[in-house]
Amino acid sequence: MLPFVMLPRPLQESNVVGKGGSAGFLGKGFDPYTLFPDGDDMDMAKMDHVKIDDLKMRPDVFAVRMQRRAKLRNMINAQMPAVEKAVEKEHLDEYYQRALSLVTSGRARDAFDLSQEADATRDKYGRNTFGQSCLLARRLIEAGTRVVEVIWPKVANSDNHSWDHHADLTKRMQTQSGPLLDTGLSALIDDMDKRGLLEDTLLVAIGEFGRSPTKGVSTSGNSNTADGRDHWPYCYTSVMAGAGLKRGYVHGKSDATASSPLESPVHPIEILATIYHALGIHPETIVYNHLNQPRELVKAQAVTALFA
């Protein structure tokens, strides 16, 4: 199964596409499989147009024929020891085998097929890009994918159902971004819980900053309408569930205007450390980059008070 999947669009701010989400110095072998269906951000049915051409064999190439081709490749490679030695660090054989298994097994293709879900389930998640992306995330986790990243299906600093509420905050929270998030996220948590997937899966919903406590005030040089809020990195929240976390627990407290934390503040890197902790990885584990330089995964401690 595909180990890492990102959907339904790349991270983007203004015209800068792909601001994160890659494996960095760990190498391309750890990059996610990206599923970005055709259609613009306002196409609420774009997840119905998912095409998994990479995971599909041509009509004239059946599974046994594909496997024979793989054996032939191995025979040729066996006669090329110099080439094999030159690329041995790239683990190409391992990647070839993974790719072959993905194409011939059909398991990944089935996981991406939302039409296999009952209409009632699809309706529960919301018939929109975010809701159906959450449903697809559950299907992928159930099929064996280890990490799924669902990116909000709208360019960050844009209008309509984006979360950059410099204007039309009331409308977006009541009819656009607010209901889309509430419906999709709550359905995902409930569905995974009922299926027993939440026991060993950590679910994290978070953005990169909050909104200013007061409407119509510029805090980052942006213009804001009377019904709009600017950027505010000093106080915001995240939602986490599963993997042994306490249920119904609220950690920390802000002041009356949500301007700053009042009790038990948590830094973003502590959230990351907590994610590693839940995965059984010590946050300060030393890893080596492409220059063989030692790096700590995260220089922070996990917030263990979140766990039951």
Side-chain angles (χ1 to χ4, degrees), residues 18 64 107:
V64 175
R107 186 178 182 187

Side-chain angles (χ1 to χ4, degrees), residues 179-199:
L180 293 183
L181 178 69
D182 287 348
T183 302
L185 183 59
S186 61
L188 176 60
I189 295 173
D190 183 58
D191 198 7
M192 292 190 67
D193 190 26
K194 288 178 178 178
R195 292 170 180 267
L197 297 171
L198 213 55
E199 293 179 10

Side-chain angles (χ1 to χ4, degrees), residues 205-253:
I206 193 170
E208 75 273 39
F209 54 73
R211 309 306 296 191
S212 57
T214 305
K215 292 182 180 180
V217 175
S218 177
T219 58
S220 61
N222 293 295
S223 58
N224 302 273
T225 69
D227 189 31
R229 288 178 166 178
D230 208 340
H231 303 174
W232 191 259
Y234 311 106
C235 188
Y236 58 106
T237 60
S238 66
V239 175
M240 304 174 71
L245 295 177
K246 297 175 183 176
R247 292 174 177 247
Y249 173 69
V250 178
H251 184 84
K253 180 181 179 181

Side-chain angles (χ1 to χ4, degrees), residues 12-32:
Q12 178 179 350
E13 184 177 358
S14 298
N15 295 321
V16 182
V17 182
K19 297 198 71 172
S22 72
F25 67 76
L26 292 178
K28 291 290 185 181
F30 294 93
D31 275 353

Side-chain angles (χ1 to χ4, degrees), residues 125 128-135 150-153 180-181 184-185:
Y125 276 83
N128 54 72
T129 305
F130 179 72
Q132 298 304 293
S133 294
C134 288
L135 175 56
V150 176
I151 296 172
W152 190 255
L180 293 183
L181 178 69
L185 183 59

Side-chain angles (χ1 to χ4, degrees), residues 91-267:
H91 305 290
L92 296 182
D93 286 340
E94 180 183 343
Y95 298 141
Y96 282 137
Q97 187 56 48
R98 285 184 185 177
L100 180 64
S101 298
L102 280 170
V103 173
T104 57
S105 73
R107 186 178 182 187
R109 289 196 306 277
D110 290 342
F112 282 104
D113 187 2
L114 287 173
S115 67
Q116 295 186 16
E117 293 287 337
D119 285 341
T121 301
R122 298 194 67 179
D123 292 341
K124 181 179 179 180
Y125 276 83
R127 295 280 186 159
N128 54 72
T129 305
F130 179 72
Q132 298 304 293
S133 294
C134 288
L135 175 56
L136 182 52
R138 189 222 80 204
R139 289 183 59 83
L140 290 169
I141 293 295
E142 203 167 29
T145 295
R146 302 304 301 275
V147 178
V148 181
E149 180 175 11
V150 176
I151 296 172
W152 190 255
K154 192 74 167 70
V155 179
N157 49 341
S158 59
D159 56 6
N160 290 300
H161 59 276
S162 85
W163 286 93
D164 208 22
H165 297 154
H166 295 286
D168 296 328
L169 181 146
T170 301
K171 181 184 74 173
R172 292 196 215 177
M173 290 302 295
Q174 290 181 346
T175 65
Q176 294 178 340
S177 49
L180 293 183
L181 178 69
D182 287 348
T183 302
L185 183 59
S186 61
L188 176 60
I189 295 173
D190 183 58
D191 198 7
M192 292 190 67
D193 190 26
K194 288 178 178 178
R195 292 170 180 267
L197 297 171
L198 213 55
E199 293 179 10
D200 54 8
T201 305
L202 178 66
L203 192 152
V204 181
I206 193 170
E208 75 273 39
F209 54 73
R211 309 306 296 191
S212 57
T214 305
K215 292 182 180 180
V217 175
S218 177
T219 58
S220 61
N222 293 295
S223 58
N224 302 273
T225 69
D227 189 31
R229 288 178 166 178
D230 208 340
H231 303 174
W232 191 259
Y234 311 106
C235 188
Y236 58 106
T237 60
S238 66
V239 175
M240 304 174 71
L245 295 177
K246 297 175 183 176
R247 292 174 177 247
Y249 173 69
V250 178
H251 184 84
K253 180 181 179 181
S254 69
D255 60 16
T257 60
S259 301
S260 61
L262 193 62
E263 297 176 6
S264 304
V266 176
H267 193 279

